[in-house]
Amino acid sequence: MTLPELPPPQMQPLGTSQPPGDKHAVSVSLPTWASVPGRPLGYKWVIEKMEANYPRMGVNTIVQNLATAVLDRCISPATDRPATECMLFPSRDAARRCVAYLQEHHEGEVQTDIIYLVYSPKGGVLRTANATRGSPPWAQFHAVIYDTEAQEQANHFWSIFGDGLSTRHAEFLLTLWPDMSWIRCDARAKCNAPSAFTVAKNVTNGCPTARILDCEDQTAKAEIRNRITRLVASENPNISRPSTSDVFLYAKGMCAIAAVARALMPNAEFNNDSSGAVVFGWPYSETPKCVSQTGYDRYTFYSQGTSEALDLLEQALSSGRRIRVLFCEIPSNPLLSTPDLHRIRALASKYDFLVVCDETLGTFVNVDVLPYADIVVTSLTKIFNGAGNAMGGSAVINPHSRHYDEIHTKLSAIYEDVLFPGDAGVLAQNSRDLTERVHRCNANAFALATFLKTQPAIESVLYPPFLPTGNLYERCRRVDGGYGYVLSVIFKNSAHAVQFYDRLDMCKGPSVGTNFSLALPYSQLAHVFELDWAEEQGIPKHIVRFSVGLEREGDLIACVVKALQGLTDDQ
């Protein structure tokens, strides 16, 4: 398959969507060091320029337009609740989880409502939710109305769990808006409206466009599931290949992690000693937050992910402590270290806990994790899609897991297919050349990492084969696999990191896995409110992460060489 020829890397103006001009873009240009923390810290000069954002880090304009329309229609100007905000979700359960989160995490009482909105040619206010029970699933959604004072908690929920409405789904619903009806649910989220994905689909008075979407949806999702089962299959002949029914698709990668964490919670009749979760190694920053706030009685974060950390875990287990599940990444983000999956698997078998491995940075193409993991999770937003214009996630149950039946039953019981057909179609089409893209990105990243290791301004290059855990990565690497598309660098002088980033003529901003290369001073965005703590845990304040794309190797290195030239010690 012929891959696209990309032009040399080029920096985009502040706030430009990446890809430029794409209203569904998952990255936004943050071209200077000072601009990176601009949105979380509320810098007006940054926010007013932003055409896009990573969809979990902020509400896209399309989604916000629909939220504004909901407030205008459903909240009377004469109400005694003028200071209200709105967040939109594709299902009732997601809306309920949002309400529960606001009630638990906001200090003081917060008033909330859930509004169920659905396509109905008559429009207006519904007397009962059952009045539109035949409406197709994509022609309905739920809105959570809450007091403005709870905005911070609402933003946290939106970011950590990823349950929010997608931009394409919101765009579709706006086309139906004149014919949308609504009904208010009770403030405690005890809504009689049907779950958006349990309604009948065979009535004749529903939205024709949504029905066409539903037909296209099944084709796209079948293609994605088939592709994943082929790519995730183990090279170990003793491990069966997963079936398509073992692949659960989600609207975002964090949705997959959150759903798995919820599904694996021990039942009430279990001994509470087993209601523990572990995050091992330093993963993507939202993963520990998601797992720790799912509801486990005990949560432990072994941030270093070293053999010494595994010693501590083994000591705790041997002394009688029990855990339910361990989450890890291969390799980790942004340190690119590899956990000892072989030893983790041995501990899991001995002490009967489940292993969930996120292989987003490793990719299906490069690493074989089924011999070690009960569940494999992936952000399909990243290199699986590549184009940077759609969100998605997946969880694959290992058919070889001795807990297979239990996992499948529990995950199926809470599963909602909320991946919008438009997003699924983009993911299916863009992932057809995944293997070829991964191989080229592997080669480019290896070349760039090798070059950077020779530069006197660089203290260290973090890339799987160059780290002390390189032998652990090799154990999981496929026969034809590489080392991935992400690397990080640490400068000897922090001032040089800032100068380098500001001068780097490359797309810069959030996300990884795009066909075009991206750079980001990771901590300045992911840990902006906890920089000192993150540095104590081993994440330097001035670490610069690269997501290496499909450009010509020579163009990439030339771009970096130019940014390295003339670095000074001036602060």
Side-chain angles (χ1 to χ4, degrees):
M1 186 174 292
T2 303
L3 294 176
E5 289 296 329
L6 268 66
Q10 184 176 23
M11 183 192 321
Q12 299 298 318
L14 173 64
T16 302
S17 61
Q18 296 176 153
D22 194 323
K23 59 189 173 181
H24 302 294
V26 302
S27 187
V28 61
S29 178
L30 300 173
T32 64
W33 194 280
S35 69
V36 172
R39 192 191 182 284
L41 293 181
Y43 297 167
K44 184 178 179 181
W45 63 273
V46 173
I47 294 173
E48 65 187 7
K49 292 283 189 179
M50 293 181 71
E51 298 174 357
N53 204 339
Y54 192 77
R56 282 191 304 95
M57 294 180 181
V59 181
N60 180 282
T61 300
I62 300 171
V63 179
Q64 188 58 58
N65 289 342
L66 182 58
T68 300
V70 171
L71 288 172
D72 290 344
R73 179 175 292 185
C74 302
I75 300 297
S76 167
T79 181
D80 59 356
R81 292 179 58 197
T84 55
E85 300 292 340
C86 176
M87 280 193 169
L88 310 180
F89 300 95
S91 78
R92 178 185 60 191
D93 285 349
R96 285 175 165 175
R97 288 194 295 273
C98 178
V99 168
Y101 188 88
L102 297 183
Q103 300 291 1
E104 179 181 353
H105 290 87
H106 180 69
E107 293 184 5
E109 185 176 355
V110 56
Q111 188 173 347
T112 58
D113 291 290
I114 293 181
I115 307 293
Y116 170 60
L117 299 104
V118 60
Y119 173 83
S120 175
K122 294 181 180 180
V125 181
L126 298 174
R127 291 187 177 183
T128 68
N130 292 334
T132 56
R133 185 167 286 277
S135 183
W138 312 113
Q140 50 191 292
F141 67 105
H142 288 72
V144 174
I145 313 294
Y146 55 91
D147 298 339
T148 302
E149 63 187 39
Q151 186 63 59
E152 181 179 350
Q153 290 74 30
N155 288 341
H156 287 171
F157 181 83
W158 184 275
S159 173
I160 294 168
F161 298 100
D163 286 315
L165 204 67
S166 84
T167 57
R168 284 186 177 83
H169 197 174
E171 184 177 50
F172 172 70
L173 291 165
L174 281 168
T175 67
L176 305 181
W177 187 244
D179 293 319
M180 298 292 286
S181 299
W182 62 278
I183 185 171
R184 187 183 303 275
C185 305
D186 135 339
R188 296 184 179 180
K190 294 179 180 177
C191 178
N192 291 322
S195 172
F197 300 94
T198 59
V199 294
K201 299 180 182 179
N202 58 354
V203 298
T204 58
N205 63 348
C207 173
T209 308
R211 296 190 184 290
I212 294 172
L213 279 177
D214 198 52
C215 293
E216 296 173 345
D217 176 56
Q218 299 311 311
T219 300
K221 290 177 182 174
E223 179 179 344
I224 294 170
R225 288 189 178 97
N226 280 318
R227 182 161 298 125
I228 290 174
T229 60
R230 175 176 59 83
L231 292 171
V232 78
S234 178
E235 292 177 336
N236 184 335
N238 296 320
I239 297 179
S240 304
R241 172 174 165 171
S243 70
T244 54
S245 64
D246 297 328
V247 180
F248 293 75
L249 298 181
Y250 295 90
K252 301 178 186 70
M254 286 309 302
C255 293
I257 292 172
V260 168
R262 289 196 304 272
L264 299 184
M265 283 279 293
N267 295 330
E269 64 270 17
F270 273 62
N271 187 322
N272 284 338
D273 288 344
S274 67
S275 181
V278 163
V279 171
F280 188 82
W282 191 278
Y284 172 62
S285 60
E286 304 293 30
T287 298
K289 299 173 186 176
C290 172
V291 175
S292 66
Q293 296 180 30
T294 299
Y296 289 89
D297 291 334
R298 286 177 290 98
Y299 161 76
T300 309
F301 184 19
Y302 292 93
S303 60
Q304 303 304 306
T306 59
S307 59
E308 291 78 12
L310 268 181
D311 289 342
L312 293 175
L313 175 60
E314 184 170 14
Q315 289 169 16
L317 293 169
S318 64
S319 65
R321 178 187 167 190
R322 292 294 176 263
I323 64 172
R324 174 64 166 162
V325 58
L326 180 148
F327 290 81
C328 61
E329 288 184 353
I330 177 170
S332 66
N333 183 8
L335 297 180
L336 285 306
S337 61
T338 302
D340 189 341
L341 288 177
H342 183 80
R343 187 175 171 194
I344 288 172
R345 179 71 263 160
L347 290 175
S349 298
K350 182 176 181 178
Y351 294 104
D352 199 28
F353 61 84
L354 300 165
V355 178
V356 180
C357 186
D358 184 340
E359 58 74 78
T360 299
L361 300 195
T363 77
F364 299 126
V365 177
N366 290 326
V367 294
D368 179 6
V369 298
L370 279 187
Y372 312 103
D374 297 279
I375 304 174
V376 179
V377 294
T378 306
S379 173
L380 303 180
T381 307
K382 308 305 190 300
I383 202 167
F384 187 89
N385 180 45
N389 60 353
M391 302 283 283
S394 67
V396 182
I397 305 175
N398 184 350
H400 192 65
S401 170
R402 66 178 177 180
H403 296 283
Y404 172 83
D405 291 337
E406 177 195 359
I407 297 170
H408 206 290
T409 298
K410 289 192 170 185
L411 202 55
S412 298
I414 66 168
Y415 182 66
E416 292 183 294
D417 181 1
V418 297
L419 176 59
F420 184 64
D423 293 311
V426 171
L427 292 170
Q429 179 174 341
N430 289 346
S431 60
R432 289 169 187 164
D433 61 356
L434 174 64
T435 298
E436 293 80 6
R437 284 189 290 108
V438 168
H439 286 315
R440 181 183 289 185
C441 291
N442 287 341
N444 281 344
F446 187 86
L448 181 59
T450 301
F451 166 76
L452 285 167
K453 277 179 65 67
T454 69
Q455 300 307 296
I458 304 297
E459 178 179 305
S460 57
V461 176
L462 309 182
Y463 193 56
F466 302 154
L467 295 173
T469 59
N471 63 314
L472 300 177
Y473 186 94
E474 290 294 341
R475 182 176 278 175
C476 301
R477 186 165 67 92
R478 293 182 183 275
V479 172
D480 296 324
Y483 299 102
Y485 56 95
V486 176
L487 60 101
S488 297
V489 295
I490 301 171
F491 285 78
K492 294 176 181 177
N493 185 326
S494 61
H496 289 172
V498 178
Q499 293 170 31
F500 171 82
Y501 185 80
D502 288 349
R503 297 169 57 174
L504 185 64
D505 193 11
M506 176 184 289
C507 287
K508 291 177 275 189
S511 197
V512 294
T514 48
N515 292 336
F516 51 91
S517 294
L518 270 171
L520 181 73
Y522 181 84
S523 290
Q524 299 297 317
L525 185 63
H527 299 292
V528 61
F529 296 111
E530 52 191 17
L531 284 169
D532 290 337
W533 172 81
E535 189 159 63
E536 290 173 359
Q537 302 298 315
I539 311 296
K541 295 177 183 177
H542 292 82
I543 190 171
V544 177
R545 184 187 69 185
F546 287 92
S547 171
V548 183
L550 299 175
E551 297 93 346
R552 290 179 60 248
E553 177 186 311
D555 291 338
L556 281 167
I557 292 179
C559 169
V560 171
V561 167
K562 185 176 180 181
L564 285 169
Q565 291 173 344
L567 298 177
T568 70
D569 294 337
D570 296 337
Q571 297 294 325

